[in-house]
Amino acid sequence: MYSLRMTIIRDAIPSFEFSMPVVVIGAGACGLTAALAARDAGVEVLVLERDKRPWGSTSMSLGAVCGVNSAAQKAAGINDSVDTFISDVMDKTEGRADPLLTRLVGEHSGEVLDWLSSEHQVPLLLDFKWVGLGHSHPRLHIPPGRNGEELLALLSNACARAGVEIMTEARVVALYADSTDRVVGVRIERPDGIEDLGCEQLILATCGFGGNHEWVAQHIPEMARAQYFGHEGNQGDGILWGLELGAAVGDMSAYQGLGTLADPQQVVVPHPLMIEGGFLVNSRGQRFTHELANISGMCVPVLEQPGGTAWVIFDRKRHDTCLAHSVEQQQLVEVGAIKEASSWAELETLCQLPAGSLTAENAHIDAARKNATADRLGRDFSGLASLQPPFCAVKVTGALFHTQGGLQVNDEAAVVRADGRRLPNLYAGGGAARGVSGPDVTGYLPAMGLCMAITLGAIAGRSAARAACAVE
Ligand SMILES: Cc1cc2nc3c(=O)[nH]c(=O)nc-3n(C[C@H](O)[C@H](O)[C@H](O)COP(=O)(O)OP(=O)(O)OC[C@H]3O[C@@H](n4cnc5c(N)ncnc54)[C@H](O)[C@@H]3O)c2cc1C
């Protein structure tokens, strides 16, 4: 089923010149959080990162992290609960998410965000723009600058202050394991050659397999020909090692997609434009989907449209509001992706849409709004002001953002086999681990990718540190 490269070396294990109590592979949100947690427990930790500088999908993200029962929620008077979160996840996934993993994340996500903010100067502010969309309460926590690059910088700075060592240009190409499947070291490819390093505990924070086109075609055939808009370094290395060591994987067909990647400029069109009343049309000028029903799954209907593209339609007022707080909206302006016109007819010409098409779709929405009923696609626009000139449009396509399936972990973020027995000293989090999105694209709740990275990262770091101390 899996095309396994033999990347677990079981014989000819070298005597390692250097060994670390805890080694983390991958310097995204998961790896850096795991390293911070291990350091807080007083353990030496080394992070190995293949790139010249830590970047990962984390830097490409919007930086929004789901957290349940956080201090920020409590301060805002929000009465969230683990059970409400579990119920939201199960509603979204039609009961197909792993229940134990969902509870684990519900119980720890808020506490982990509080720890990052109070102990490590990683402030994540509760956001009220992304409400609804499957979360019963505001749960998205976003860095002040509202982007993933800032989140990664905050975590990197925290690691530097805590004394976490990050070795860059250090791609792990193989693990050394003994006959009990205990990982005893890693083989690292560096610009000046190959190095070996011993380890007592290993945390896999190598994200998913979105950059591995063969695996995407195998597990997510519907996205085999779609663009991948995540970090190319996410080749599924950690998942592969886990499999070779006998680990179980789950929900390998799950993923987060998005139907609103500016085409060809490759900038994510901020979703609040749509939440506030914008809509999508295809190249025939026709709406084809309820734009808020399934943000992640919207990549599928968009890719099904002629040419695999669509137009996001909004107005200048919404653009200005968004511009004030969205780096992506600023980028859309900078790259000239936004078309603007003083009338529907002019916008139709600019976007080469059939004459009268936008006028007709907007009139349909206005009529449904006036009657306070859902429109023909089931979307209710009541409470949202109608679009006013000047009108705006951005051409978009659908893309794969990140995969959601991966290694099965237990409540210590330790990687387990199909029978539930854990591997001796292997942990995983973030995109390398199974998520809580069920088996397909429809189950992804906003901000769960970073939530799984940060929450499981912290749990993995604490567990690995405990195990390392027990060994000493
Ligand atoms: C455009 C976009 C927007 C998104 N927005 C959000 C959002 O707002 N909220 C949210 O929750 N999620 C979002 N996501 C998803 C989110 O970015 C990921 O779920 C999250 O970043 C995963 O974190 P990670 O630490 O597991 O992986 P990453 O951040 O990708 O880090 C993995 C690291 O491992 C390194 N690595 C891989 N293999 C090796 C190896 N063999 N040796 C050494 N290093 C290796 C990689 O180079 C990389 O730096 C978004 C994704 C995209 C693409």
Side-chain angles (χ1 to χ4, degrees):
M1 184 180 175
Y2 299 95
S3 50
L4 295 184
R5 305 181 296 264
M6 289 316 289
T7 51
I8 303 292
I9 303 171
R10 291 187 186 270
D11 46 17
I13 293 178
S15 54
F16 300 104
E17 200 176 333
F18 296 104
S19 188
M20 292 294 289
V22 174
V23 169
V24 180
I25 310 179
C30 178
L32 296 182
T33 308
L36 277 176
R39 268 314 280 148
D40 271 15
V43 170
E44 291 294 313
V45 55
L46 174 67
V47 182
L48 301 170
E49 167 55 51
R50 57 181 273 162
D51 289 350
K52 245 189 183 140
R53 67 174 172 134
W55 187 251
S57 284
T58 300
S59 289
M60 301 174 72
S61 78
L62 308 181
V65 194
C66 167
V68 183
N69 277 337
S70 69
Q73 279 183 314
K74 288 174 196 155
I78 292 162
N79 192 15
D80 204 354
S81 77
V82 175
D83 286 337
T84 312
F85 170 73
I86 293 172
S87 153
D88 289 347
V89 170
M90 291 306 167
D91 279 354
K92 189 85 175 97
T93 60
E94 297 172 341
R96 296 174 298 167
D98 179 319
L100 297 178
L101 201 50
T102 309
R103 177 163 290 282
L104 181 73
V105 173
E107 284 174 349
H108 289 279
S109 54
E111 158 272 294
V112 168
L113 293 184
D114 296 348
W115 160 73
L116 281 176
S117 144
S118 63
E119 303 297 316
H120 291 290
Q121 299 166 43
V122 180
L124 292 165
L125 315 175
L126 191 61
D127 182 78
F128 294 91
K129 293 196 178 356
W130 284 72
V131 284
L133 306 172
H135 287 295
S136 292
H137 298 288
R139 289 194 182 116
L140 271 58
H141 298 69
I142 303 191
R146 304 183 69 86
N147 65 84
E149 211 174 326
E150 185 188 18
L151 175 63
L152 197 81
L154 287 165
L155 288 170
S156 299
N157 291 343
C159 281
R161 282 191 297 270
V164 170
E165 206 184 319
I166 302 175
M167 186 191 283
T168 55
E169 296 189 278
R171 178 173 185 192
V172 178
V173 289
L175 308 186
Y176 293 101
D178 68 15
S179 57
T180 66
D181 297 321
R182 172 176 291 277
V183 179
V184 293
V186 297
R187 168 158 274 216
I188 312 164
E189 192 177 75
R190 307 223 56 207
D192 48 1
I194 296 286
E195 290 177 23
D196 290 323
L197 172 78
C199 69
E200 286 171 23
Q201 311 293 326
L202 182 67
I203 299 174
L204 300 173
T206 46
C207 206
F209 58 90
N212 182 331
H213 306 298
E214 195 186 321
W215 276 29
V216 170
Q218 186 178 345
H219 298 289
I220 314 175
E222 74 212 57
M223 295 306 276
R225 291 196 299 152
Q227 288 183 55
Y228 170 55
F229 191 68
H231 186 251
E232 284 297 334
N234 296 337
Q235 297 289 324
D237 290 353
I239 300 174
L240 177 62
W241 294 320
L243 280 166
E244 288 185 47
L245 287 166
V249 289
D251 292 333
M252 291 290 277
S253 47
Y255 66 101
Q256 184 201 4
L258 206 81
T260 52
L261 182 66
D263 183 58
Q265 297 87 355
Q266 302 254 312
V267 177
V268 178
V269 177
H271 219 71
L273 288 174
M274 223 102 72
I275 297 173
E276 297 297 327
F279 59 91
L280 276 173
V281 296
N282 61 19
S283 60
R284 298 189 189 110
Q286 294 163 343
R287 283 182 65 221
F288 52 91
T289 188
H290 176 332
E291 291 83 355
L292 305 185
N294 190 339
I295 295 186
S296 168
M298 207 160 52
C299 58
V300 176
V302 167
L303 288 168
E304 282 167 357
Q305 300 312 301
T309 58
W311 291 89
V312 180
I313 307 295
F314 50 102
D315 62 9
R316 165 86 73 76
K317 189 162 181 229
R318 283 157 175 89
H319 163 77
D320 289 343
T321 309
C322 198
L323 197 61
H325 56 74
S326 163
V327 175
E328 287 76 19
Q329 194 71 9
Q330 290 156 21
Q331 288 170 347
L332 288 171
V333 174
E334 281 158 21
V335 297
I338 303 176
K339 296 194 185 295
E340 187 179 295
S342 55
S343 68
W344 287 124
E346 196 187 323
L347 194 64
E348 287 156 3
T349 308
L350 267 181
C351 302
Q352 297 181 310
L353 297 171
S357 57
L358 292 178
T359 314
E361 286 295 8
N362 188 58
H364 172 78
I365 291 170
D366 277 347
R369 186 190 344 257
K370 202 166 155 209
N371 297 332
T373 53
D375 65 15
R376 69 173 193 279
L377 294 161
R379 182 169 168 194
D380 188 351
F381 282 83
S382 359
L384 296 169
S386 59
L387 302 190
Q388 299 296 330
F391 302 116
C392 305
V394 176
K395 192 177 185 188
V396 292
T397 188
L400 167 64
F401 271 21
H402 59 117
T403 54
Q404 285 285 298
L407 298 167
Q408 186 76 47
V409 297
N410 68 10
D411 60 359
E412 291 186 297
V415 176
V416 298
R417 302 174 196 276
D419 61 7
R421 279 180 307 131
R422 55 172 291 178
L423 288 160
N425 62 345
L426 192 66
Y427 304 83
R434 179 184 187 181
V436 293
S437 301
D440 60 32
V441 67
T442 57
Y444 183 80
L445 271 175
M448 285 314 297
L450 285 168
C451 173
M452 298 307 286
I454 285 179
T455 310
L456 287 182
I459 296 172
R462 292 169 187 167
S463 306
R466 250 193 327 271
C469 290
V471 169
E472 277 167 13

